[in-house]
Amino acid sequence: MLKAESGFDPKASRSATGEHGIAMWTPAVFKAWAVDGDRDGDKDYMSPPDAIATMAVFTCWLDQRFKQSDLRENLPGLIAAGYRTSDRTVIEAGGVPKSVRPYVDTVLAHLRDYTH
């Protein structure tokens, strides 16, 4: 997902959506899930260790949320969709929403590249 979000660029930014950093967090969403990944006493969405650790916590939560909602097929795709939209959007759609299908396809292609 980091490859799809920012191409691993810790200084990446989408000003139109307010997303920043390697994991493309918005400050408000990051704050809700923030982890001090580098243990420097600060939780900063522009810090790759903090952003990546926070992504890990959030994606694990998404995994559990989807399983609780009986969405178990294609969990990597569901998690990518939930990261790009929200858990509620994925659950209401009963799977990957059409609006984020291109993003999910990109994430799954990167997953195949990195696991083969």
Side-chain angles (χ1 to χ4, degrees):
M1 286 179 16
L2 293 170
K3 174 82 171 165
E5 289 294 332
S6 68
F8 302 116
D9 180 358
K11 293 182 171 113
S13 182
R14 290 186 194 116
S15 57
T17 58
E19 298 167 300
H20 306 281
I22 197 165
M24 288 301 198
W25 286 107
T26 61
V29 175
F30 178 83
K31 185 177 179 181
W33 293 93
V35 173
D36 183 8
D38 55 12
R39 298 183 179 148
D40 68 353
D42 186 33
K43 297 174 184 173
D44 178 7
Y45 59 88
M46 292 301 291
S47 160
D50 294 356
I52 294 166
T54 302
M55 179 186 262
V57 168
F58 184 60
T59 56
C60 287
W61 179 82
L62 287 170
D63 174 79
Q64 293 304 304
R65 181 88 168 99
F66 296 144
K67 287 176 181 174
Q68 291 167 356
S69 298
D70 291 324
L71 294 173
R72 296 172 182 271
E73 196 170 317
N74 185 23
L75 278 169
L78 295 173
I79 291 166
Y83 190 80
R84 187 83 313 255
T85 61
S86 72
D87 62 307
R88 180 184 298 157
T89 302
V90 173
I91 291 167
E92 288 175 358
V96 174
K98 188 177 182 177
S99 63
V100 293
R101 172 54 61 193
Y103 171 80
V104 170
D105 290 345
T106 297
V107 170
L108 295 177
H110 291 318
L111 179 61
R112 284 188 298 276
D113 290 345
Y114 285 104
T115 56
H116 290 120

